[in-house]
Coordinates of all heavy atoms in Angstrom, one line a residue:
M1 N 10.1 5.9 15.3 CA 9.6 5.0 14.2 C 8.7 5.8 13.3 O 8.8 5.7 12.1 CB 9.0 3.8 14.7 CG 9.9 2.8 15.4 SD 11.0 2.0 14.4 CE 10.1 0.7 13.7
D2 N 7.8 6.6 13.9 CA 6.8 7.3 13.1 C 7.5 8.4 12.2 O 7.1 8.5 11.0 CB 5.8 8.0 14.0 CG 4.8 7.0 14.6 OD1 4.6 5.9 14.0 OD2 4.2 7.3 15.7
T3 N 8.4 9.1 12.8 CA 9.2 10.1 12.0 C 9.9 9.4 10.9 O 9.9 10.0 9.7 CB 10.2 10.8 13.0 OG1 9.4 11.4 14.0 CG2 10.9 11.9 12.2
G4 N 10.5 8.3 11.1 CA 11.2 7.6 10.0 C 10.3 7.2 8.9 O 10.6 7.3 7.7
T5 N 9.2 6.7 9.3 CA 8.2 6.2 8.3 C 7.7 7.4 7.5 O 7.5 7.3 6.3 CB 7.0 5.5 9.0 OG1 7.5 4.4 9.7 CG2 6.0 5.0 8.0
K6 N 7.4 8.5 8.2 CA 6.9 9.7 7.4 C 8.0 10.3 6.4 O 7.6 10.8 5.4 CB 6.6 10.8 8.4 CG 5.3 10.6 9.2 CD 5.0 11.6 10.2 CE 3.9 11.2 11.1 NZ 3.7 12.1 12.3
N7 N 9.3 10.1 6.8 CA 10.3 10.6 5.9 C 10.8 9.6 4.9 O 11.6 9.9 4.0 CB 11.5 11.0 6.8 CG 11.2 12.2 7.6 OD1 10.5 13.2 7.2 ND2 11.8 12.3 8.8
R8 N 10.2 8.4 4.9 CA 10.6 7.4 4.0 C 10.1 7.7 2.6 O 9.0 8.1 2.4 CB 10.0 6.1 4.4 CG 10.5 4.9 3.7 CD 10.0 3.6 4.5 NE 9.8 2.5 3.5 CZ 8.7 2.0 3.1 NH1 7.5 2.4 3.7 NH2 8.6 1.1 2.2
T9 N 10.9 7.5 1.6 CA 10.5 7.8 0.2 C 9.9 6.5 -0.5 O 10.6 5.5 -0.4 CB 11.7 8.3 -0.7 OG1 12.2 9.4 0.0 CG2 11.3 8.6 -2.0
V10 N 8.7 6.6 -1.0 CA 8.1 5.5 -1.7 C 7.6 6.0 -3.1 O 7.1 7.1 -3.2 CB 6.9 5.0 -0.9 CG1 6.2 3.9 -1.6 CG2 7.3 4.5 0.5
A11 N 7.9 5.2 -4.1 CA 7.4 5.6 -5.4 C 6.9 4.4 -6.2 O 7.3 3.3 -5.9 CB 8.6 6.3 -6.2
S12 N 6.1 4.7 -7.1 CA 5.5 3.6 -7.9 C 6.4 3.3 -9.1 O 7.0 4.2 -9.8 CB 4.1 4.1 -8.5 OG 3.6 3.1 -9.3
T13 N 6.6 2.0 -9.4 CA 7.3 1.5 -10.6 C 6.4 0.5 -11.3 O 5.4 0.1 -10.7 CB 8.7 0.9 -10.3 OG1 8.5 -0.3 -9.6 CG2 9.5 1.8 -9.4
A14 N 6.8 0.1 -12.4 CA 6.0 -1.0 -13.1 C 6.0 -2.3 -12.4 O 5.1 -3.1 -12.6 CB 6.5 -1.2 -14.5
M15 N 7.0 -2.5 -11.6 CA 7.1 -3.8 -10.8 C 6.4 -3.7 -9.4 O 6.1 -4.8 -8.9 CB 8.6 -4.1 -10.6 CG 9.3 -4.5 -11.9 SD 11.0 -5.0 -11.6 CE 10.8 -6.5 -10.6
N16 N 6.3 -2.5 -8.9 CA 5.8 -2.4 -7.5 C 5.1 -1.1 -7.3 O 5.7 0.0 -7.5 CB 7.0 -2.6 -6.6 CG 6.6 -2.7 -5.1 OD1 5.5 -2.3 -4.7 ND2 7.6 -3.1 -4.3
A17 N 3.9 -1.1 -6.9 CA 3.1 0.2 -6.7 C 3.6 1.0 -5.6 O 3.5 2.3 -5.6 CB 1.6 -0.2 -6.5
T18 N 4.3 0.4 -4.6 CA 4.8 1.2 -3.4 C 6.2 0.8 -3.2 O 6.6 0.3 -2.1 CB 3.9 0.9 -2.1 OG1 3.9 -0.5 -1.9 CG2 2.5 1.4 -2.3
S19 N 7.0 0.9 -4.2 CA 8.5 0.6 -4.1 C 9.2 1.5 -3.1 O 9.2 2.7 -3.3 CB 9.1 0.6 -5.4 OG 10.5 0.3 -5.4
S20 N 9.8 0.9 -2.1 CA 10.7 1.7 -1.2 C 11.9 2.3 -1.9 O 12.6 1.5 -2.6 CB 11.1 0.9 0.0 OG 12.0 1.6 0.8
R21 N 12.1 3.5 -1.8 CA 13.3 4.2 -2.5 C 14.3 4.6 -1.5 O 15.1 5.5 -1.7 CB 12.8 5.4 -3.3 CG 11.6 5.2 -4.2 CD 11.7 3.9 -5.0 NE 12.6 4.1 -6.1 CZ 13.0 3.2 -6.9 NH1 12.6 1.9 -6.7 NH2 13.9 3.3 -7.9
A22 N 14.3 4.0 -0.3 CA 15.2 4.4 0.8 C 15.7 3.2 1.6 O 15.0 2.2 1.6 CB 14.6 5.4 1.7
H23 N 16.9 3.3 2.1 CA 17.4 2.2 3.1 C 17.0 2.7 4.5 O 16.9 3.9 4.7 CB 18.9 2.1 3.0 CG 19.4 1.8 1.6 ND1 18.9 0.8 0.8 CD2 20.4 2.3 0.9 CE1 19.6 0.7 -0.3 NE2 20.5 1.7 -0.3
T24 N 16.6 1.8 5.3 CA 16.3 2.1 6.7 C 17.1 1.3 7.7 O 17.2 0.1 7.5 CB 14.8 1.9 6.9 OG1 14.0 2.5 6.0 CG2 14.3 2.3 8.3
I25 N 17.6 2.0 8.7 CA 18.3 1.3 9.7 C 17.7 1.7 11.1 O 17.6 2.9 11.4 CB 19.8 1.7 9.8 CG1 20.5 1.3 8.4 CG2 20.5 1.0 10.9 CD1 21.9 1.8 8.3
V26 N 17.3 0.7 11.9 CA 16.8 0.9 13.2 C 17.7 0.2 14.2 O 17.9 -1.0 14.1 CB 15.3 0.4 13.3 CG1 14.8 0.5 14.7 CG2 14.4 1.0 12.2
A27 N 18.2 0.9 15.2 CA 19.0 0.4 16.2 C 18.2 0.3 17.5 O 17.6 1.2 17.9 CB 20.2 1.2 16.4
I28 N 18.1 -0.9 18.1 CA 17.4 -1.2 19.3 C 18.4 -1.5 20.4 O 19.2 -2.4 20.2 CB 16.4 -2.3 19.2 CG1 15.4 -2.0 18.0 CG2 15.6 -2.5 20.5 CD1 14.4 -3.1 17.7
T29 N 18.4 -0.8 21.5 CA 19.3 -1.0 22.6 C 18.6 -1.7 23.7 O 17.5 -1.2 24.1 CB 19.9 0.3 23.0 OG1 20.6 0.9 21.9 CG2 21.0 0.0 24.1
F30 N 19.1 -2.8 24.2 CA 18.6 -3.5 25.3 C 19.5 -3.4 26.5 O 20.7 -3.6 26.3 CB 18.4 -5.1 25.0 CG 17.5 -5.4 23.9 CD1 17.9 -5.5 22.6 CD2 16.1 -5.6 24.2 CE1 17.0 -5.8 21.6 CE2 15.2 -5.8 23.2 CZ 15.6 -5.9 21.9
V31 N 19.0 -3.0 27.6 CA 19.8 -2.9 28.8 C 19.2 -3.8 29.9 O 18.0 -3.7 30.2 CB 19.9 -1.4 29.3 CG1 20.7 -1.3 30.6 CG2 20.4 -0.5 28.2
Q32 N 20.1 -4.6 30.4 CA 19.6 -5.5 31.5 C 20.4 -5.2 32.8 O 21.7 -5.2 32.8 CB 19.9 -7.0 31.2 CG 19.5 -7.9 32.3 CD 19.8 -9.4 31.9 OE1 20.5 -9.6 31.0 NE2 19.3 -10.3 32.6
K33 N 19.7 -4.8 33.8 CA 20.4 -4.5 35.1 C 19.9 -5.4 36.2 O 18.8 -5.7 36.3 CB 20.0 -3.1 35.5 CG 20.5 -2.0 34.5 CD 20.1 -0.6 35.0 CE 20.6 0.4 34.1 NZ 20.4 1.8 34.5
T34 N 20.9 -6.0 36.8 CA 20.7 -7.0 37.9 C 21.4 -6.5 39.1 O 22.5 -6.0 39.1 CB 21.1 -8.4 37.5 OG1 22.5 -8.4 37.2 CG2 20.3 -8.9 36.3
K35 N 20.9 -6.9 40.2 CA 21.5 -6.6 41.5 C 21.1 -7.6 42.5 O 19.9 -7.7 42.8 CB 21.2 -5.2 42.0 CG 22.0 -4.8 43.3 CD 21.8 -3.4 43.7 CE 22.7 -3.1 44.9 NZ 22.5 -1.7 45.4
E36 N 22.0 -8.4 43.0 CA 21.7 -9.4 44.0 C 22.0 -8.8 45.3 O 23.0 -8.0 45.5 CB 22.5 -10.7 43.7 CG 22.1 -11.4 42.4 CD 22.8 -12.7 42.2 OE1 23.2 -13.3 43.2 OE2 22.9 -13.1 41.1
E37 N 21.3 -9.2 46.3 CA 21.5 -8.7 47.7 C 23.0 -8.8 48.1 O 23.6 -9.9 48.0 CB 20.6 -9.5 48.6 CG 20.5 -8.8 50.0 CD 19.4 -9.4 50.8 OE1 18.3 -9.8 50.3 OE2 19.7 -9.6 52.0
G38 N 23.5 -7.7 48.6 CA 24.9 -7.7 49.1 C 26.0 -7.7 48.0 O 27.1 -7.7 48.3
Q39 N 25.6 -7.6 46.8 CA 26.6 -7.5 45.7 C 26.4 -6.2 44.9 O 25.3 -5.6 44.9 CB 26.4 -8.7 44.8 CG 26.8 -10.0 45.4 CD 26.7 -11.2 44.4 OE1 26.4 -11.0 43.3 NE2 26.9 -12.4 44.9
Q40 N 27.4 -5.9 44.1 CA 27.3 -4.7 43.3 C 26.5 -5.1 42.0 O 26.5 -6.2 41.6 CB 28.7 -4.3 42.8 CG 28.8 -3.0 42.1 CD 30.2 -2.6 41.8 OE1 31.2 -3.3 42.0 NE2 30.4 -1.4 41.4
G41 N 25.7 -4.1 41.5 CA 24.9 -4.3 40.4 C 25.7 -4.6 39.1 O 26.9 -4.2 39.0
M42 N 25.0 -5.3 38.2 CA 25.7 -5.6 36.9 C 24.8 -5.1 35.8 O 23.6 -5.3 35.8 CB 25.9 -7.1 36.8 CG 26.7 -7.5 35.5 SD 27.1 -9.2 35.5 CE 25.5 -10.0 35.4
T43 N 25.4 -4.5 34.8 CA 24.6 -4.1 33.6 C 25.1 -4.7 32.4 O 26.3 -4.7 32.1 CB 24.7 -2.5 33.5 OG1 24.2 -1.9 34.7 CG2 23.9 -2.1 32.3
K44 N 24.2 -5.3 31.6 CA 24.6 -5.8 30.3 C 23.8 -5.0 29.2 O 22.6 -4.7 29.4 CB 24.2 -7.3 30.2 CG 24.9 -8.2 31.0 CD 24.4 -9.7 30.8 CE 25.0 -10.6 31.8 NZ 24.5 -12.0 31.5
T45 N 24.5 -4.7 28.2 CA 23.9 -3.9 27.1 C 24.2 -4.6 25.8 O 25.3 -5.0 25.5 CB 24.5 -2.5 27.0 OG1 24.4 -1.8 28.3 CG2 23.8 -1.6 26.0
S46 N 23.1 -4.6 25.0 CA 23.2 -5.2 23.6 C 22.5 -4.3 22.7 O 21.5 -3.6 23.0 CB 22.5 -6.6 23.6 OG 23.2 -7.5 24.4
V47 N 23.0 -4.2 21.4 CA 22.4 -3.4 20.4 C 22.1 -4.3 19.2 O 23.0 -5.0 18.8 CB 23.3 -2.2 20.0 CG1 22.6 -1.4 18.8 CG2 23.6 -1.3 21.1
I48 N 20.9 -4.2 18.8 CA 20.5 -5.0 17.6 C 20.2 -4.0 16.5 O 19.4 -3.0 16.7 CB 19.2 -5.9 17.8 CG1 19.6 -6.9 18.8 CG2 18.7 -6.5 16.5 CD1 18.4 -7.8 19.2
N49 N 20.8 -4.2 15.3 CA 20.5 -3.3 14.2 C 19.6 -4.0 13.2 O 20.0 -5.1 12.7 CB 21.9 -2.9 13.5 CG 22.7 -2.0 14.4 OD1 22.3 -0.9 14.8 ND2 23.9 -2.5 14.8
L50 N 18.5 -3.4 12.9 CA 17.6 -4.0 11.9 C 17.8 -3.1 10.6 O 17.7 -1.9 10.7 CB 16.2 -3.9 12.4 CG 15.9 -4.6 13.7 CD1 14.4 -4.4 14.1 CD2 16.2 -6.0 13.6
V51 N 18.0 -3.8 9.5 CA 18.3 -3.1 8.3 C 17.3 -3.5 7.2 O 17.1 -4.7 6.9 CB 19.7 -3.4 7.8 CG1 20.0 -2.6 6.5 CG2 20.8 -3.0 8.8
D52 N 16.6 -2.5 6.6 CA 15.7 -2.7 5.5 C 16.3 -2.0 4.3 O 16.3 -0.8 4.3 CB 14.3 -2.2 5.8 CG 13.3 -2.4 4.7 OD1 13.6 -3.3 3.8 OD2 12.4 -1.6 4.6
L53 N 16.8 -2.8 3.3 CA 17.4 -2.1 2.2 C 16.4 -1.9 1.0 O 15.5 -2.8 0.8 CB 18.5 -3.0 1.6 CG 19.7 -3.2 2.7 CD1 20.7 -4.2 2.1 CD2 20.3 -2.0 3.0
A54 N 16.5 -0.8 0.4 CA 15.6 -0.6 -0.8 C 15.9 -1.7 -1.8 O 17.0 -2.1 -1.9 CB 15.9 0.8 -1.4
G55 N 14.9 -2.1 -2.5 CA 15.1 -3.2 -3.4 C 15.9 -2.9 -4.7 O 15.8 -1.8 -5.2
S56 N 16.7 -3.9 -5.1 CA 17.4 -3.7 -6.4 C 16.5 -4.2 -7.5 O 15.9 -5.2 -7.5 CB 18.6 -4.6 -6.3 OG 19.3 -4.6 -7.5
E57 N 16.3 -3.3 -8.5 CA 15.4 -3.6 -9.6 C 16.2 -3.3 -10.9 O 16.9 -2.4 -11.0 CB 14.2 -2.8 -9.5 CG 13.4 -3.0 -8.3 CD 12.2 -2.0 -8.1 OE1 12.3 -0.9 -8.7 OE2 11.3 -2.3 -7.3
R58 N 15.9 -4.2 -11.9 CA 16.4 -3.9 -13.2 C 15.6 -2.8 -13.9 O 14.4 -2.7 -13.9 CB 16.3 -5.1 -14.1 CG 17.2 -6.3 -13.6 CD 17.2 -7.4 -14.7 NE 18.0 -8.5 -14.2 CZ 19.3 -8.6 -14.2 NH1 20.0 -7.6 -14.7 NH2 20.0 -9.6 -13.8
A59 N 16.4 -1.8 -14.4 CA 15.8 -0.5 -15.0 C 14.8 -0.9 -16.0 O 13.7 -0.3 -16.1 CB 16.9 0.3 -15.5
A60 N 15.1 -1.8 -16.9 CA 14.1 -2.2 -18.0 C 12.8 -2.7 -17.5 O 11.8 -2.5 -18.1 CB 14.8 -3.2 -18.9
S61 N 12.9 -3.4 -16.3 CA 11.7 -4.1 -15.8 C 10.7 -3.1 -15.1 O 9.6 -3.3 -15.0 CB 12.0 -5.2 -14.8 OG 12.9 -6.1 -15.4
T62 N 11.3 -2.0 -14.6 CA 10.5 -1.0 -13.8 C 9.8 0.0 -14.6 O 8.8 0.5 -14.1 CB 11.4 -0.3 -12.8 OG1 12.3 0.5 -13.5 CG2 12.2 -1.2 -11.9
G63 N 10.2 0.2 -15.8 CA 9.6 1.3 -16.7 C 10.0 2.6 -16.1 O 9.3 3.6 -16.5
A64 N 11.0 2.7 -15.3 CA 11.3 4.0 -14.7 C 12.0 4.9 -15.7 O 12.7 4.5 -16.6 CB 12.3 3.8 -13.5
A65 N 11.8 6.2 -15.5 CA 12.5 7.2 -16.4 C 12.8 8.4 -15.5 O 12.2 8.6 -14.4 CB 11.6 7.6 -17.5
G66 N 13.7 9.3 -16.0 CA 14.0 10.5 -15.3 C 14.5 10.3 -13.9 O 15.5 9.5 -13.7
D67 N 13.9 11.0 -12.9 CA 14.4 10.9 -11.5 C 14.3 9.5 -10.9 O 15.1 9.1 -10.2 CB 13.6 11.9 -10.6 CG 14.0 13.3 -10.9 OD1 15.1 13.6 -11.5 OD2 13.2 14.2 -10.5
R68 N 13.2 8.8 -11.3 CA 13.1 7.4 -10.8 C 14.2 6.5 -11.3 O 14.7 5.7 -10.6 CB 11.7 6.8 -11.1 CG 10.5 7.5 -10.5 CD 10.5 7.2 -9.0 NE 9.6 8.0 -8.3 CZ 9.9 9.1 -7.5 NH1 11.2 9.3 -7.3 NH2 9.0 9.8 -7.0
L69 N 14.6 6.7 -12.5 CA 15.7 5.9 -13.1 C 17.0 6.2 -12.4 O 17.8 5.3 -12.0 CB 15.8 6.2 -14.6 CG 16.8 5.4 -15.4 CD1 16.5 3.9 -15.2 CD2 16.9 5.8 -16.8
K70 N 17.2 7.5 -12.1 CA 18.4 7.9 -11.4 C 18.4 7.4 -10.0 O 19.5 6.9 -9.5 CB 18.6 9.4 -11.4 CG 18.9 10.1 -12.7 CD 19.0 11.6 -12.6 CE 19.1 12.3 -13.9 NZ 19.1 13.7 -13.8
E71 N 17.3 7.5 -9.3 CA 17.1 6.9 -8.0 C 17.4 5.4 -8.0 O 18.2 4.9 -7.1 CB 15.6 7.1 -7.6 CG 15.4 7.6 -6.2 CD 14.0 7.9 -6.0 OE1 13.0 7.2 -6.5 OE2 13.7 9.0 -5.4
G72 N 16.9 4.7 -8.9 CA 17.1 3.2 -9.0 C 18.6 2.9 -9.2 O 19.1 2.0 -8.6
A73 N 19.3 3.7 -10.0 CA 20.7 3.5 -10.3 C 21.5 3.8 -9.0 O 22.4 3.0 -8.7 CB 21.2 4.4 -11.4
A74 N 21.1 4.8 -8.2 CA 21.8 5.1 -7.0 C 21.6 4.0 -6.0 O 22.5 3.6 -5.2 CB 21.3 6.5 -6.4
I75 N 20.4 3.5 -5.9 CA 20.1 2.4 -5.0 C 20.9 1.1 -5.4 O 21.5 0.5 -4.5 CB 18.6 2.0 -5.0 CG1 17.7 3.1 -4.4 CG2 18.3 0.7 -4.3 CD1 16.2 3.0 -4.6
N76 N 20.9 0.8 -6.6 CA 21.7 -0.3 -7.1 C 23.2 -0.2 -6.8 O 23.9 -1.1 -6.3 CB 21.5 -0.6 -8.5 CG 20.1 -1.2 -8.8 OD1 19.4 -1.6 -7.9 ND2 19.7 -1.1 -10.1
Q77 N 23.7 1.1 -7.0 CA 25.1 1.3 -6.7 C 25.4 1.2 -5.2 O 26.4 0.6 -4.8 CB 25.5 2.8 -7.1 CG 26.9 3.2 -6.7 CD 28.0 2.3 -7.4 OE1 27.9 2.1 -8.6 NE2 29.0 1.9 -6.7
S78 N 24.5 1.7 -4.3 CA 24.7 1.6 -2.9 C 24.7 0.1 -2.4 O 25.4 -0.3 -1.6 CB 23.8 2.4 -2.1 OG 22.4 2.0 -2.3
L79 N 23.8 -0.7 -3.1 CA 23.7 -2.1 -2.7 C 25.0 -2.8 -3.1 O 25.5 -3.7 -2.4 CB 22.5 -2.8 -3.3 CG 21.1 -2.3 -2.7 CD1 20.0 -2.9 -3.5 CD2 21.0 -2.7 -1.3
S80 N 25.5 -2.5 -4.3 CA 26.7 -3.1 -4.8 C 27.9 -2.7 -3.9 O 28.7 -3.6 -3.5 CB 27.0 -2.6 -6.2 OG 28.2 -3.1 -6.7
T81 N 27.9 -1.5 -3.4 CA 29.0 -1.0 -2.6 C 28.9 -1.8 -1.2 O 29.9 -2.2 -0.6 CB 29.0 0.5 -2.4 OG1 29.2 1.1 -3.6 CG2 30.1 0.9 -1.4
L82 N 27.7 -1.9 -0.7 CA 27.5 -2.6 0.6 C 27.9 -4.1 0.4 O 28.6 -4.6 1.3 CB 26.0 -2.6 1.0 CG 25.6 -3.4 2.2 CD1 26.4 -2.8 3.5 CD2 24.1 -3.3 2.4
G83 N 27.7 -4.7 -0.7 CA 28.1 -6.1 -0.9 C 29.6 -6.1 -0.9 O 30.2 -7.1 -0.4
N84 N 30.3 -5.2 -1.5 CA 31.8 -5.1 -1.5 C 32.3 -5.0 -0.1 O 33.3 -5.6 0.3 CB 32.3 -3.9 -2.4 CG 32.0 -4.2 -3.8 OD1 31.8 -5.3 -4.3 ND2 32.1 -3.1 -4.6
V85 N 31.7 -4.1 0.7 CA 32.1 -3.9 2.1 C 31.9 -5.2 2.9 O 32.9 -5.7 3.6 CB 31.3 -2.8 2.8 CG1 31.6 -2.7 4.3 CG2 31.7 -1.5 2.1
I86 N 30.8 -5.9 2.8 CA 30.5 -7.1 3.5 C 31.6 -8.2 3.1 O 32.1 -8.9 3.9 CB 29.1 -7.6 3.3 CG1 28.2 -6.6 4.0 CG2 28.9 -9.0 3.8 CD1 26.7 -6.8 3.6
S87 N 31.8 -8.3 1.8 CA 32.8 -9.3 1.3 C 34.2 -9.0 1.9 O 34.9 -9.9 2.3 CB 32.8 -9.2 -0.2 OG 33.8 -10.1 -0.7
A88 N 34.6 -7.7 1.9 CA 35.9 -7.3 2.4 C 36.0 -7.6 3.9 O 37.1 -8.1 4.4 CB 36.2 -5.9 2.1
L89 N 34.9 -7.3 4.6 CA 35.0 -7.6 6.1 C 35.1 -9.1 6.3 O 35.8 -9.6 7.2 CB 33.7 -7.1 6.7 CG 33.7 -5.6 6.9 CD1 32.3 -5.1 7.4 CD2 34.7 -5.1 7.9
A90 N 34.3 -9.9 5.5 CA 34.4 -11.4 5.6 C 35.8 -11.9 5.4 O 36.3 -12.8 6.1 CB 33.4 -12.1 4.7
D91 N 36.4 -11.4 4.3 CA 37.8 -11.8 3.9 C 38.8 -11.4 5.1 O 39.6 -12.2 5.4 CB 38.2 -11.1 2.6 CG 37.5 -11.6 1.4 OD1 36.9 -12.7 1.5 OD2 37.6 -10.9 0.4
Q92 N 38.6 -10.3 5.6 CA 39.4 -9.8 6.7 C 39.3 -10.7 7.9 O 40.3 -11.1 8.5 CB 39.0 -8.3 7.0 CG 39.9 -7.6 8.0 CD 39.5 -6.1 8.1 OE1 39.5 -5.5 7.1 NE2 39.4 -5.7 9.3
A93 N 38.1 -11.0 8.2 CA 37.8 -11.9 9.4 C 38.4 -13.3 9.2 O 39.0 -13.9 10.1 CB 36.3 -12.0 9.7
S94 N 38.3 -13.8 8.0 CA 38.8 -15.1 7.7 C 40.3 -15.2 7.7 O 40.9 -16.3 8.0 CB 38.3 -15.7 6.4 OG 38.9 -14.9 5.3
E95 N 41.0 -14.0 7.5 CA 42.4 -14.0 7.6 C 42.9 -13.7 9.0 O 44.1 -13.6 9.3 CB 42.9 -12.9 6.7 CG 42.7 -13.2 5.2 CD 42.9 -12.0 4.3 OE1 43.4 -10.9 4.8 OE2 42.7 -12.1 3.1
G96 N 41.9 -13.6 9.9 CA 42.3 -13.4 11.4 C 42.7 -12.0 11.7 O 43.3 -11.7 12.7
R97 N 42.5 -11.0 10.8 CA 42.8 -9.6 11.1 C 41.7 -8.9 11.8 O 40.5 -9.2 11.6 CB 43.1 -8.9 9.8 CG 44.3 -9.4 9.1 CD 44.7 -8.5 7.8 NE 43.7 -8.8 6.8 CZ 43.2 -7.9 6.0 NH1 43.4 -6.7 6.1 NH2 42.3 -8.3 5.0
P98 N 42.0 -8.1 12.8 CA 41.0 -7.4 13.5 C 40.2 -6.4 12.7 O 40.8 -5.9 11.7 CB 41.7 -6.7 14.7 CG 43.1 -6.5 14.1 CD 43.3 -7.7 13.2
P99 N 39.0 -6.1 13.0 CA 38.2 -5.0 12.3 C 39.0 -3.7 12.3 O 39.7 -3.4 13.2 CB 36.9 -4.9 13.0 CG 36.8 -6.1 13.9 CD 38.2 -6.6 14.1
G100 N 38.9 -3.0 11.2 CA 39.6 -1.7 11.1 C 39.5 -1.3 9.7 O 38.5 -1.6 9.0
K101 N 40.5 -0.6 9.2 CA 40.5 -0.1 7.8 C 40.5 -1.2 6.9 O 41.3 -2.2 7.0 CB 41.7 0.8 7.6 CG 41.7 1.5 6.3 CD 42.9 2.4 6.2 CE 42.9 3.1 4.8 NZ 44.0 4.0 4.6
I102 N 39.6 -1.1 5.9 CA 39.5 -2.2 4.8 C 40.3 -1.7 3.7 O 40.1 -0.7 3.1 CB 38.0 -2.4 4.4 CG1 37.2 -2.8 5.6 CG2 37.9 -3.5 3.3 CD1 35.7 -2.8 5.4
K103 N 41.3 -2.5 3.3 CA 42.1 -2.2 2.1 C 41.5 -2.6 0.8 O 41.0 -3.7 0.7 CB 43.5 -2.8 2.3 CG 44.3 -2.3 3.5 CD 45.6 -3.0 3.6 CE 46.3 -2.5 4.9 NZ 47.6 -3.2 5.1
N104 N 41.6 -1.8 -0.2 CA 41.2 -2.0 -1.5 C 39.7 -2.6 -1.6 O 39.4 -3.5 -2.3 CB 42.1 -3.1 -2.2 CG 43.5 -2.6 -2.2 OD1 43.8 -1.4 -2.4 ND2 44.4 -3.5 -2.0
C105 N 38.9 -1.9 -0.8 CA 37.5 -2.4 -0.7 C 36.6 -1.8 -1.8 O 36.1 -2.5 -2.7 CB 36.9 -2.0 0.6 SG 35.1 -2.2 0.7
C106 N 36.4 -0.6 -1.8 CA 35.5 0.0 -2.8 C 35.7 1.5 -2.9 O 36.2 2.1 -2.1 CB 34.0 -0.3 -2.3 SG 33.8 -0.3 -0.6
S107 N 35.1 2.0 -4.0 CA 35.1 3.5 -4.1 C 33.7 3.9 -4.5 O 33.0 3.2 -5.3 CB 36.2 3.9 -5.2 OG 35.8 3.3 -6.4
V108 N 33.3 5.0 -4.0 CA 32.0 5.5 -4.3 C 32.1 6.8 -5.1 O 32.9 7.6 -5.0 CB 31.2 5.7 -3.0 CG1 29.8 6.3 -3.3 CG2 31.1 4.5 -2.2

């Protein structure tokens, strides 16, 4: 966590003095092991993904220019693409198709 925090990019904009300029994903794995007397042990594993997305901001509102403006455009593009992926996965699930290749989803 400390390494990720140190590597996180933060920059000032007109809307936010410490605007996050990066997406962060933290995966937490839980392992539960049980063993009852005379029986074989059982292991259950779960993974929880915590996602913190860089905020989407309107370029005109931030006062950003140069690299900050390009950064903001890239963040907005990645959020838009993520929205397309989530929408395609939801459509796929509602049609009863198993997870796999998403057809006609998005291009980056």
Side-chain angles (χ1 to χ4, degrees):
M1 293 291 279
D2 289 336
T3 302
T5 299
K6 288 176 188 172
N7 290 326
R8 188 171 153 250
T9 303
V10 176
S12 178
T13 69
M15 290 182 67
N16 188 344
T18 56
S19 180
S20 174
R21 312 312 287 170
H23 303 312
T24 304
I25 300 172
V26 177
I28 301 173
T29 303
F30 295 92
V31 179
Q32 177 183 14
K33 296 181 179 184
T34 58
K35 185 173 182 180
E36 294 184 24
E37 193 173 317
Q39 294 183 1
Q40 189 175 9
M42 184 173 68
T43 301
K44 293 181 184 179
T45 304
S46 297
V47 178
I48 295 177
N49 294 297
L50 305 175
V51 180
D52 178 24
L53 300 175
S56 174
E57 300 170 340
R58 295 193 181 277
S61 302
T62 65
D67 287 344
R68 291 292 165 253
L69 184 59
K70 290 179 187 175
E71 221 171 45
I75 288 169
N76 289 345
Q77 175 64 45
S78 67
L79 291 172
S80 179
T81 301
L82 177 61
N84 291 342
V85 170
I86 291 169
S87 179
L89 288 170
D91 291 346
Q92 186 172 310
S94 69
E95 294 169 3
R97 292 185 287 137
K101 185 175 180 180
I102 302 171
K103 295 181 181 176
N104 304 322
C105 169
C106 36
S107 60
V108 178

